[in-house]
Amino acid sequence: MRSSRSVAHSVSLKVDSCQMDSDYENLGGCEPGQVFLLQYSGGPAAGCPDTLELCEVREGTATSQHVRDETPGEEQISSLRRNHWSAATLKVLSAMPSRTAGKSSAAVISRRSRPQRHRTSPRDSSQPPRPIQDDFSEADVGEASTEGAAGNNFWFTGNKKEQLVSNLRGLSASEAMRKLRALPFCLADKMELRRLAFSDVATGSLISRNVPCYSFLSVYISRTWRHCLFSCHSVLGSLHLWQLSTKRLGGRFGTGVVSYFLFLRMLLRLNLLLLVTNGLFVVVPQAIHPPPLRDSHLDNFIGLNLLTGTGYLSQSVMFYGYYTNTTVTACQAALSTARSNGGSPDLPVRDNDRCQTVPYNIPAAYFYTTAIAFFITCIILVYSISKSFGRSFHVLKSNRNLAVKVFCTWDFKLSKKTSVRFQSEKISIQLKELLSEMISGDERKSCLQGLGHLVVNLLTWAVCLVGITLGATGVHFLSETTIRRGAVRETELLLLSAAVSGVNLLLPGLFNLCVWVEKHDSPSVYVYVSIFRNLLLKISIVGVLCFRWLGRVAVEPESRDLKCWESFVGQELYRLLLMDFIFTVLYTFLGEFLWRLFSKQVLKRNRKPVFDIARNVLELIYGQTLTWLGVLFSPPLPVVQIIKLLLLFYLKKSSLIANCQGPGQPWRASQMTTLFSTLLFFPSFVSAAVSIAYTLWTIKPSSGCGPFRTLTTMFHSGKLWAQELENAHPVLSWLSWVYNSLVENPVFLFLATGVFLRGRTKGSSSPNCKPSVNNSIWFPLIDE
Amino acid sequence: MDYTNEPDCKLPLALIVNMPELKENPFRSRIVESFSEDGMGNLSFNEFVDMFSVLSEMAPRELKAIYAFKIYDFNVDNYLCKEDLEKTLNRLTKEELTPEEVELVCEKAIEEADLDGDNKLSYADFENMITRAPDFLSTFHIRI
């Protein structure tokens, strides 16, 4: 192996941080690597080691080698030569259509490849001049041939490299980095390209003297920032939540199951965002100034309160009733907190000169925080959908392609022996099934058989729909009964939540049974049917509940003797979330653990229950919908959801490892991720956002509690605050104009978002959809 | 093997394929061989990084397709011919299919994917087939 390449590689390894700097600026050179000696011993069978001297690193990677052995004229050529690819690799690379004119002439390749075998032998290090001259002539030949890319010095013939570099320079930094990553060169070459493309000032001159003083500081700052960023990278990497667990799960169960856990992690992050915004802007300011009126007979805390959310908790920071419609300031003067009309002016208290801090209007903060949090969540969700769409653009296409099955189904993540064996079995079974289908697939199914299947499918659909209707009606009936009965005991409050969770638990089992009975053409149809049914169930349940809250409780709160209907709704949502979690724990324990024991001991079957991804994901989506609905009525509700998700992760993980096996059907994980994100956005988030918007815009808040108590709708608080601001500081009138045209005109907001996201989607999806276009950018001389 | 003093050392194939991420993979030796310069599976550090960067989540589809093609091309002739497919299948299914089934699968696969009619799959055919497999990006991925 040639010392040139090896030295170049080792140089590039040692000066990593310098390479990073050269991305944007190559000032000051590379401090550690100015001159150093490298002891090189080449290859296992090498002869004598050479000691080489390196000049300045920037040029070092280009000119390092063979100082003793080369004449100056050839130094340039051999300095450009980097890789001595084996003949086999060269043949592959050279014949790839992205680099050749289409016809690979094997003769030329074989002629060129023979002398290289010569050169890669380490014994040649004893006779340096000959191979170099060979290379030189090879380079000539390479350049002269029509297959400019083919040949050993493929890209190091001068103008090719310059062309690539100039292509890179012509693009923006991020585009160029993306293109660079997609090139099929080895790491050292890419680093070289990057260094050449991005260090405009770099070549040759001693940079440090040419830096003007005024930009030195900014360069220094940006370089220090980059160093910090890279050192933080390792810390941030370790904070990447659950990295090791997901890797282990993927190694054992495959990509499909891991997508569930990754989805869980995404939900956790969304909730963290909600919590941070709500906490900072709503909870903490109010918690510092607790409301003056408290119902003292609710002051003792009993354990059941934690479950029902009533009693002590109903007056805590947890629910809507705690928040006041005052303007609080940071100073403790009694006067400043005593104002209790919603239209209080925004001026600081005049008779206390020590209060210099900005007053904080709680109702406006409550309203705006909720609105902005929803808006940001919407943006994040649409962005993530567009990103995953870009990766998997065939979303609903079912796949019967044999070749694809052979080449694309092996999950490289699997690392456990039993899982690998299991996957081999699965693939053999699928291939056999496909083969038999293909062989016998031409025979048309008999009419009777087709009719039979149709009848069975219709029946199962009817059963499922009836089940869903019954469940929803039952919940509705129970809800109406509790409304009519008025004030109830605390334990009875749990009845509705328990009923809802029970329906959510039992009906998916029915759906699984129906799917087992049905017959479909392709395995993925089972998955989609199952997801759709679960989705219908959840939508109907949430719909019934929303009607209960917004259509009955909010409109006639007197019928329930409710002083504060918003707190009541918040408590209901809290109870629903808790019950959901408790029932999930029960199901995991009974449905998975005990079932496994039962089937093993009693039924004597060795197969573990299958991890039902569809059901679990829809459970997550349902929980998240409830959280979004509840954020308006209970600002710290994301805490509950976060704790629930954390516990759920570990619970599901241990249950999976102990009790379950991976799904038997082929789970196309990329499509599933897109589907989950779409389901999270479209029915779940949109319905929550619409309900919240409806509440904010139309429903009258209760007059006895909460931050909006004197207003006709919650939305007015925002308007009032804007008006006050305008009155106090007339110079900010343009702000109110902006507010009026933006917020009152949601169309404008959606338009802006749509334009932004369209631009983003285009950018993210184009590289994956059009590989040929990419190629033509990079190898302009070679095509046609 | 002292990396600090000899940064140019190459790890032999036998050592790399014992990594826990690769140990059970039926294509492990082919993976390592396609990233090695000498074609024998001895990787330098840069090649090692290359390998895992192509197999990582962030690598673009085209790059993965190029190297997937190299991996499945057992006889390194730049085409996926019938023998390559047979070897791939045997490794995938751990020889559970009968020879007739293997033969049939190979024939049908080539029939489906071959666009230029030369009875073997060139890179263009392979890439075209990959575009119809949205899962390719997530399955051709090793997490370290």
Side-chain angles (χ1 to χ4, degrees):
Chain A
M1 277 144 256
R2 299 304 267 179
S3 46
S4 58
R5 169 194 34 80
S6 43
V7 163
H9 286 193
S10 45
V11 163
S12 54
L13 291 171
K14 283 207 174 196
V15 292
D16 265 348
S17 57
C18 300
Q19 289 287 1
M20 293 169 202
D21 292 342
S22 65
D23 275 357
Y24 67 96
E25 192 79 54
N26 211 352
L27 289 176
C30 307
E31 299 89 23
Q34 293 295 331
V35 175
F36 55 90
L37 294 167
L38 275 182
Q39 191 77 19
Y40 156 71
S41 62
C48 46
D50 303 312
T51 310
L52 301 153
E53 199 169 314
L54 282 178
C55 307
E56 229 175 320
V57 172
R58 268 176 276 104
E59 301 152 0
T61 49
T63 61
S64 55
Q65 48 283 63
H66 294 300
V67 180
R68 291 179 293 167
D69 301 328
E70 294 168 2
T71 66
E74 289 156 340
E75 196 179 298
Q76 191 114 33
I77 305 297
S78 61
S79 74
L80 299 176
R81 178 173 16 102
R82 184 72 25 108
N83 272 323
H84 295 250
W85 288 322
S86 71
T89 316
L90 272 173
K91 271 198 276 184
V92 173
L93 281 175
S94 61
M96 282 189 177
S98 55
R99 298 165 181 226
T100 66
K103 290 181 252 208
S104 60
S105 78
V108 180
I109 296 170
S110 55
R111 187 173 12 104
R112 220 174 281 126
S113 64
R114 255 180 284 120
Q116 290 174 29
R117 245 174 273 222
H118 227 48
R119 239 182 317 106
T120 55
S121 134
R123 272 168 213 89
D124 273 344
S125 59
S126 51
Q127 313 168 33
R130 192 171 46 82
I132 291 169
Q133 268 151 14
D134 276 350
D135 292 340
F136 190 55
S137 56
E138 292 296 331
D140 275 345
V141 172
E143 221 176 329
S145 81
T146 51
E147 304 176 8
N152 55 319
N153 289 336
F154 153 63
W155 77 295
F156 282 127
T157 49
N159 47 357
K160 299 284 186 311
K161 184 170 75 153
E162 259 141 40
Q163 199 137 43
L164 279 169
V165 167
S166 60
N167 276 337
L168 273 175
R169 279 201 192 131
L171 302 167
S172 71
S174 55
E175 269 292 310
M177 289 307 283
R178 203 150 46 87
K179 294 268 183 289
L180 192 58
R181 276 201 198 107
L183 289 176
F185 299 141
C186 83
L187 191 67
D189 302 338
K190 287 192 201 182
M191 279 164 37
E192 168 72 7
L193 257 186
R194 179 178 69 173
R195 186 186 70 81
L196 288 172
F198 291 115
S199 58
D200 292 59
V201 200
T203 41
S205 59
L206 293 169
I207 302 304
S208 47
R209 281 190 226 138
N210 296 344
V211 179
C213 327
Y214 51 81
S215 64
F216 186 69
L217 185 64
S218 65
V219 159
Y220 178 74
I221 290 175
S222 37
R223 192 177 334 148
T224 321
W225 169 247
R226 272 196 96 104
H227 277 162
C228 290
L229 211 63
F230 279 114
S231 51
C232 284
H233 213 57
S234 56
V235 174
L236 288 176
S238 64
L239 287 181
H240 200 73
L241 198 58
W242 299 323
Q243 174 95 332
L244 198 59
S245 303
T246 45
K247 179 190 165 185
R248 279 206 211 110
L249 287 172
R252 196 162 153 176
F253 295 104
T255 321
V257 169
V258 171
S259 62
Y260 167 77
F261 290 95
L262 294 176
F263 186 66
L264 201 151
R265 191 170 66 184
M266 176 178 101
L267 285 182
L268 191 73
R269 288 174 179 157
L270 280 176
N271 282 303
L272 268 172
L273 172 76
L274 266 182
L275 179 69
V276 163
T277 42
N278 271 355
L280 272 181
F281 295 108
V282 177
V283 177
V284 167
Q286 187 69 73
I288 303 178
H289 301 275
L293 300 165
R294 286 181 68 82
D295 206 350
S296 54
H297 76 263
L298 287 175
D299 261 345
N300 26 326
F301 177 80
I302 50 179
L304 199 60
N305 282 340
L306 208 59
L307 211 55
T308 57
T310 51
Y312 182 78
L313 276 186
S314 65
Q315 288 193 327
S316 67
V317 76
M318 220 28 224
F319 297 112
Y320 180 92
Y322 181 83
Y323 299 87
T324 56
N325 65 338
T326 55
T327 303
V328 299
T329 57
C331 54
Q332 289 302 318
L335 280 168
S336 59
T337 50
R339 296 169 201 236
S340 56
N341 44 340
S344 55
D346 247 0
L347 301 166
V349 179
R350 281 208 189 81
D351 39 17
N352 190 344
D353 291 317
R354 285 189 299 263
C355 294
Q356 297 298 326
T357 51
V358 177
Y360 195 81
N361 189 325
I362 296 269
Y366 201 102
F367 171 72
Y368 281 119
T369 310
T370 313
I372 291 176
F374 266 83
F375 187 63
I376 295 178
T377 313
C378 178
I379 302 261
I380 293 176
L381 282 176
V382 177
Y383 177 80
S384 72
I385 292 177
S386 76
K387 218 164 61 152
S388 53
F389 247 109
R391 282 198 220 122
S392 69
F393 40 92
H394 292 256
V395 177
L396 291 175
K397 194 169 142 163
S398 126
N399 187 11
R400 304 181 64 173
N401 202 322
L402 200 61
V404 170
K405 214 161 214 82
V406 170
F407 288 117
C408 303
T409 39
W410 184 265
D411 194 350
F412 278 65
K413 277 201 276 290
L414 290 181
S415 56
K416 197 165 187 283
K417 198 167 187 153
T418 43
S419 318
V420 165
R421 189 164 37 93
F422 185 51
Q423 192 180 48
S424 299
E425 279 170 22
K426 259 197 315 193
I427 290 188
S428 341
I429 293 173
Q430 283 165 26
L431 284 172
K432 286 191 192 188
E433 279 174 9
L434 262 182
L435 262 186
S436 62
E437 245 180 75
M438 284 186 151
I439 294 174
S440 64
D442 300 322
E443 318 162 6
R444 310 272 299 167
K445 272 193 295 226
S446 72
C447 235
L448 207 59
Q449 244 184 343
L451 203 64
H453 284 163
L454 190 66
V455 168
V456 167
N457 285 351
L458 279 177
L459 224 81
T460 49
W461 268 104
V463 165
C464 291
L465 286 175
V466 162
I468 293 175
T469 325
L470 278 179
T473 323
V475 169
H476 180 70
F477 178 72
L478 195 62
S479 138
E480 293 292 311
T481 322
T482 54
I483 284 180
R484 266 185 300 233
R485 262 201 273 137
V488 291
R489 284 203 329 261
E490 290 205 348
T491 40
E492 284 179 7
L493 288 171
L494 293 172
L495 193 63
L496 183 65
S497 336
V500 168
S501 300
V503 166
N504 271 332
L505 193 71
L506 294 172
L507 278 182
L510 177 69
F511 301 151
N512 280 343
L513 213 65
C514 291
V515 158
W516 188 59
V517 168
E518 288 173 350
K519 283 200 179 5
H520 288 288
D521 286 332
S522 129
S524 54
V525 178
Y526 287 108
V527 167
Y528 289 124
V529 163
S530 177
I531 286 181
F532 185 67
R533 286 178 183 155
N534 275 301
L535 192 66
L536 270 183
L537 173 69
K538 302 287 194 257
I539 288 178
S540 42
I541 298 279
V542 172
V544 166
L545 289 171
C546 277
F547 170 72
R548 167 186 161 81
W549 295 320
L550 301 180
R552 296 300 302 274
V553 171
V555 172
E556 309 155 2
E558 302 81 26
S559 67
R560 281 275 290 159
D561 268 343
L562 285 173
K563 288 193 205 65
C564 203
W565 66 266
E566 294 97 342
S567 281
F568 178 74
V569 172
Q571 283 160 1
E572 291 232 314
L573 280 159
Y574 173 80
R575 283 194 291 268
L576 277 169
L577 273 180
L578 275 185
M579 274 291 144
D580 193 42
F581 178 61
I582 292 172
F583 273 67
T584 312
V585 171
L586 276 176
Y587 168 71
T588 310
F589 189 68
L590 292 171
E592 294 176 1
F593 178 62
L594 283 182
W595 179 251
R596 175 178 74 96
L597 285 179
F598 178 69
S599 70
K600 199 161 181 181
Q601 312 290 347
V602 177
L603 300 177
K604 297 280 189 273
R605 270 193 305 181
N606 221 359
R607 287 183 69 105
K608 299 181 177 175
V610 169
F611 185 75
D612 193 349
I613 297 182
R615 176 204 189 121
N616 285 299
V617 166
L618 281 168
E619 283 285 328
L620 284 180
I621 293 181
Y622 168 73
Q624 191 58 42
T625 316
L626 290 180
T627 313
W628 277 326
L629 280 172
V631 150
L632 180 66
F633 306 109
S634 165
L637 198 64
V639 173
V640 178
Q641 177 75 345
I642 287 172
I643 296 175
K644 191 177 131 190
L645 287 173
L646 283 172
L647 291 173
L648 205 63
F649 180 87
Y650 293 107
L651 180 74
K652 287 287 172 187
K653 188 176 91 143
S654 9
S655 160
L656 189 64
I657 291 176
N659 303 332
C660 299
Q661 56 179 353
Q665 270 141 27
W667 266 89
R668 253 89 57 55
S670 59
Q671 294 181 356
M672 291 303 144
T673 317
T674 315
L675 187 66
F676 299 159
S677 307
T678 317
L679 286 178
L680 185 68
F681 180 71
F682 178 58
S684 165
F685 178 78
V686 166
S687 59
V690 165
S691 313
I692 297 288
Y694 178 75
T695 313
L696 288 175
W697 248 269
T698 41
I699 297 191
K700 185 178 176 343
S702 41
S703 46
C705 68
F708 306 113
R709 56 189 87 168
T710 51
L711 307 168
T712 42
T713 65
M714 299 185 188
F715 175 65
H716 275 133
S717 64
K719 260 183 155 167
L720 276 171
W721 181 72
Q723 256 167 15
E724 284 162 21
L725 205 64
E726 204 180 329
N727 294 340
H729 308 278
V731 77
L732 292 175
S733 58
W734 63 270
L735 202 67
S736 88
W737 174 82
V738 164
Y739 173 84
N740 280 333
S741 49
L742 276 188
V743 179
E744 307 250 311
N745 237 350
V747 175
F748 183 79
L749 274 173
F750 284 118
L751 266 177
T753 318
V755 166
F756 162 73
L757 287 168
R758 183 170 154 74
R760 177 73 190 83
T761 316
K762 259 195 164 154
S764 73
S765 57
S766 52
N768 290 323
C769 292
K770 301 183 186 69
S772 52
V773 172
N774 258 348
N775 283 335
S776 63
I777 294 174
W778 285 109
F779 304 97
L781 291 189
I782 294 151
D783 286 334
E784 280 79 51
Chain B
M1 232 173 270
D2 189 359
Y3 182 68
T4 335
N5 297 333
E6 294 175 35
D8 188 46
C9 67
K10 286 194 166 227
L11 292 182
L13 175 76
L15 195 60
I16 298 176
V17 298
N18 271 329
M19 277 181 75
E21 288 87 355
L22 289 176
K23 201 157 73 158
E24 300 295 336
N25 196 315
F27 299 105
R28 54 190 179 272
S29 27
R30 274 306 301 155
I31 294 175
V32 179
E33 278 165 22
S34 9
F35 285 94
S36 72
E37 195 166 300
D38 55 7
M40 304 295 292
N42 303 309
L43 296 183
S44 71
F45 178 70
N46 271 354
E47 289 156 0
F48 185 81
V49 173
D50 260 347
M51 174 168 81
F52 279 110
S53 103
V54 169
L55 286 167
S56 79
E57 225 166 13
M58 306 289 293
R61 172 183 285 262
E62 195 197 23
L63 198 56
K64 287 195 189 237
I66 290 174
Y67 282 99
F69 183 80
K70 278 204 223 180
I71 288 173
Y72 292 129
D73 187 7
F74 282 81
N75 51 9
V76 204
D77 62 350
N78 202 30
Y79 286 101
L80 297 178
C81 52
K82 199 143 166 234
E83 289 77 35
D84 293 329
L85 259 100
E86 275 175 13
K87 284 208 190 109
T88 308
L89 261 179
N90 283 327
R91 291 206 187 184
L92 273 183
T93 61
K94 297 216 192 312
E95 325 233 330
E96 278 212 15
L97 297 181
T98 65
E100 296 83 28
E101 283 170 337
V102 169
E103 172 106 16
L104 205 57
V105 170
C106 294
E107 263 175 37
K108 292 242 174 246
I110 292 185
E111 210 179 284
E112 274 174 11
D114 189 18
L115 298 175
D116 46 16
D118 55 358
N119 240 1
K120 45 191 178 171
L121 304 179
S122 67
Y123 178 68
D125 303 331
F126 184 77
E127 196 176 9
N128 185 35
M129 182 189 60
I130 290 290
T131 55
R132 284 185 276 147
D135 262 336
F136 174 67
L137 279 178
S138 57
T139 54
F140 196 70
H141 165 218
I142 292 185
R143 199 188 284 267
I144 50 166

